[in-house]
Amino acid sequence: MSQTPTRADFDRYMVPNYAPQQAIPVRGEGSRLWDQEGREYVDFAGGIAVNSLGHCHPVLVEALTAQANKLWHLSNVYTNEPALALARSLVERTFADKVYLCSSGGEANEAALKLARRWAHDNVSEHKHRIVSFSQSFHGRTLFTVSVGGQPKYAQGFGPVPGGIVHGEFNDLDSVRDLIDDDTCAVVVEPMQGEGGIVPATPEFLHGLRALCDAHDALLIFDEVQTGVGRTGTLFAHEQYGVTPDILTSAKALGGGFPVGAMLTTDRVAPAFGFGTHGSTYGGNALASAVALAAVEHIDTPEVLEGVKRRHERFREHLEAINAKHGVFREIRGMGLLIGAEMAPAFEGRAKDILPLAIEEGVMALIAGPNVLRLAPSLVIPEADIDEGMVRLERAVARLVAGQ
Ligand SMILES: *Cc1c(COP(=O)(O)O)cnc(C)c1O
């Protein structure tokens, strides 16, 4: 048998674009994980808002294994039952009329941006190609999506980057008025910025973007890769704002841990992706689609969605209690189970220092930029796990404050 892999193997064999924590989890169940040494962790990170039903949820294991014994993959030269069932389920549950399936959030956004350009090209002219995005936004790591994203560091050194992209200020409608015109094909926005620091859009902002898009015949794209599939307490976050996009992207929670992405759009826009215009070998993969279908059907129920709102309150109460004792946070915010705690001025830029302490105390968390501690746990995390994880998180925070 080959040797058991160690953390040192990461530095030895893997491209150094990540810097994972030292512990290597080997098993997960619900919201608990165990590492190679048998140490146990409460999972508030959820694989970056991906493990929507925790680890190895029986509904997803059943969907995956049942499909694994039937059919894995065909390509799009042939279609398959799980992909068709997933597309139908998404259409029936949302504003959308048509679905394009792929394997990640970046790919879903790449498709959305290409669709917007092609739609404007086919229906108006090639001059209508400008894309309005926002500073601090995040849309993926392909060259197009880092260019559209509003964090220049992700595009740095990768130029020349695609042109025709401008950035306004999030939640500032006036900044968009200066940028949008009849040559704009799309405005792309996260209803709540995730990587950018867990910042919800104001209702006026999203309603205003819809009106500006309508005035200039531009498409409104909602990137719900992080906020979608129950994460905020509704199937998609935009439902809470009463604003409907022309294109929506989903991934992360959609597969509950299996790589899958989707782009949803309307009958007005979809024809611009005619036969041969775009594609992906893995898009609509039968295993991925079977798992995503099970995840969507399990999550889009009153029990799970109401449970997300209830758990939000519990997380918030715990974080406020920690803050009352230690004064580390300036603000606690977010929607549903995507929660951010911005560091107080005395701890400016130190959110990342909590993570290794938290791991030592037995809880996994995330950051969103240097100044925000981010929690994105399973949507069905047991309340006892929330309480236990918070005891551990408080110990990590106390150590940060004590300078240990
Ligand atoms: C994570 C994320 C992406 C990128 O998804 P990948 O699956 O990593 O390609 C895009 N947009 C948002 C809002 C995200 O949070």
Side-chain angles (χ1 to χ4, degrees):
M1 219 184 92
S2 60
Q3 268 183 315
T4 304
T6 66
R7 177 60 177 75
D9 290 339
F10 182 89
D11 301 328
R12 182 147 178 215
Y13 297 118
M14 293 186 76
V15 168
N17 61 317
Y18 305 116
Q21 300 288 332
Q22 291 300 318
I24 302 181
V26 293
R27 188 167 70 82
E29 192 185 321
S31 287
R32 305 266 176 157
L33 283 158
W34 289 266
D35 72 12
Q36 290 175 314
E37 267 78 60
R39 288 200 63 219
E40 174 254 327
Y41 304 88
V42 175
D43 187 5
F44 285 171
I48 316 191
V50 165
N51 297 98
S52 42
L53 295 173
H55 299 275
C56 300
H57 191 286
V59 165
L60 300 189
V61 172
E62 168 60 25
L64 180 64
T65 51
Q67 190 60 41
N69 286 302
K70 273 197 247 169
L71 178 75
W72 289 23
H73 179 78
L74 287 166
S75 88
N76 287 292
V77 178
Y78 312 91
T79 190
N80 68 76
E81 289 181 356
L84 296 169
L86 174 61
R88 178 181 178 166
S89 181
L90 289 169
V91 165
E92 286 177 351
R93 292 165 196 278
T94 66
F95 75 97
D97 306 310
K98 293 285 190 289
V99 176
Y100 168 82
L101 297 173
C102 54
S103 308
S104 70
E107 246 187 289
N109 284 327
E110 187 81 21
L113 297 164
K114 282 182 69 179
L115 175 62
R117 281 211 170 149
R118 188 64 186 245
W119 173 84
H121 172 277
D122 291 359
N123 290 282
V124 185
S125 86
E126 67 201 43
H127 299 293
K128 191 174 177 66
H129 68 256
R130 274 162 47 104
I131 293 165
V132 176
S133 175
F134 296 96
S135 57
Q136 297 308 317
S137 67
F138 182 79
H139 300 295
R141 298 293 202 116
T142 68
L143 192 56
F144 201 172
T145 56
V146 290
S147 310
V148 169
Q151 303 191 38
K153 63 176 189 231
Y154 290 138
Q156 203 187 341
F158 294 117
V161 297
I165 301 161
V166 291
H167 295 90
E169 295 305 314
F170 190 69
N171 278 338
D172 177 355
L173 213 48
D174 287 336
S175 75
V176 186
R177 282 193 191 95
D178 294 340
L179 295 175
I180 195 168
D181 61 23
D182 288 347
D183 286 341
T184 303
C185 69
V187 174
V188 56
V189 67
E190 299 157 83
M192 174 163 63
Q193 286 194 337
E195 303 301 310
I198 314 297
V199 187
T202 62
E204 308 76 63
F205 184 59
L206 292 192
H207 282 275
L209 290 183
R210 179 72 269 177
L212 284 171
C213 283
D214 292 344
H216 293 283
D217 198 18
L219 301 177
L220 181 59
I221 304 173
F222 283 164
D223 179 347
E224 293 230 30
V225 169
Q226 190 154 167
T227 55
V229 192
R231 177 60 51 193
T232 67
T234 45
L235 185 60
F236 289 103
H238 73 87
E239 297 164 28
Q240 294 176 51
Y241 289 88
V243 181
T244 305
D246 302 290
I247 302 176
L248 176 146
T249 54
S250 178
K252 292 202 167 98
L254 179 62
F258 203 95
V260 63
M263 180 195 71
L264 281 56
T265 189
T266 61
D267 278 334
R268 185 170 78 104
V269 179
F273 262 2
F275 177 69
T277 49
H278 189 63
S280 154
T281 301
Y282 286 125
N285 171 276
L287 284 177
S289 300
V291 176
L293 177 64
V296 168
E297 292 195 332
H298 191 78
I299 290 167
D300 192 20
T301 55
E303 302 90 274
V304 172
L305 296 177
E306 286 306 315
V308 168
K309 293 179 186 145
R310 220 176 39 243
R311 287 169 175 82
H312 172 93
E313 293 309 322
R314 202 171 185 101
F315 270 98
R316 193 180 271 275
E317 282 162 22
H318 276 293
L319 287 169
E320 274 160 8
I322 290 174
N323 203 31
K325 218 159 146 187
H326 301 286
V328 281
F329 304 132
R330 195 177 78 82
E331 187 187 30
I332 295 154
R333 58 180 181 244
M335 295 164 72
L337 288 175
L338 190 49
I339 297 169
E342 185 176 335
M343 303 307 287
F347 298 92
E348 181 82 33
R350 298 203 53 203
K352 69 174 183 310
D353 297 340
I354 297 177
L355 300 193
L357 296 171
I359 280 288
E360 283 178 27
E361 297 298 337
V363 59
M364 291 172 171
L366 300 167
I367 55 172
N371 215 29
V372 177
L373 179 71
R374 169 173 46 157
L375 307 180
S378 158
L379 307 182
V380 295
I381 181 172
E383 297 193 340
D385 289 0
I386 301 176
D387 297 347
E388 176 59 26
M390 281 294 173
V391 168
R392 299 176 186 186
L393 187 65
E394 184 184 348
R395 289 205 289 262
V397 167
R399 285 174 60 189
L400 179 83
V401 173
Q404 286 180 281

